[in-house]
């Protein structure tokens, strides 16, 4: 077994050549990840029910559309048409 040390022409030779740079790179990468996670958590904490409001709007829209469909079906029936026509005729005859 030989104890060969890497040669670094730009700086000191040894086992820890470049270790400081690698550690700094890891620190910077970790800091960026940590800041990104912190920003996401702060955004979620600021408006925790944003998605709930969107879901509520969707449910209301579905219910309103279903109600409009039922109302249109009822209003197109012959009995309702006759009833509404008679109401309008009476109103016109009164005035």
């Amino acid at each position: 077994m030989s104890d060969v040390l890497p040669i670094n022409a730009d700086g000191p030779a040894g086992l820890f050549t470049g270790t400081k740079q690698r550690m700094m790179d890891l620190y910077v990468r970790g800091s960026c990840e940590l800041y990104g996670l912190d920003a996401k958590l702060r955004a979620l904490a600021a408006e925790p029910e944003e998605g709930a409001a969107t879901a509520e709007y969707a449910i209301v829209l579905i219910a309103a559309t279903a109600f409009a469909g039922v109302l249109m079906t009822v209003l197109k029936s012959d009995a309702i048409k006759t009833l509404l026509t008679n109401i309008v005729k009476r109103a016109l005859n009164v005035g």
Side-chain angles (χ1 to χ4, degrees), residues 4-5 7 11 20 23 35 44-45 53 57 60 71 86-87 94-95:
V4 178
L5 297 176
I7 298 173
K20 183 177 180 181
M23 292 301 289
Y35 294 144
L44 287 174
Y57 286 130
V60 168
L71 188 60
N86 289 337
I87 291 172
V94 171

Side-chain angles (χ1 to χ4, degrees), residues 35-85:
Y35 294 144
L37 181 61
D38 181 52
K40 287 178 187 176
L41 289 174
R42 287 178 190 265
L44 287 174
E47 297 178 15
E49 295 183 6
E50 185 175 319
T54 304
E56 290 168 3
Y57 286 130
I59 291 171
V60 168
L61 284 174
I62 291 170
T65 305
F67 181 71
V70 169
L71 188 60
M72 288 301 296
T73 303
V74 169
L75 290 176
K76 285 185 177 183
S77 68
D78 289 332
I80 299 297
K81 281 184 184 179
T82 305
L83 180 66
L84 290 175
T85 304

Side-chain angles (χ1 to χ4, degrees), residues 5-14 17-18:
L5 297 176
I7 298 173
N8 185 358
D10 296 331
T17 304

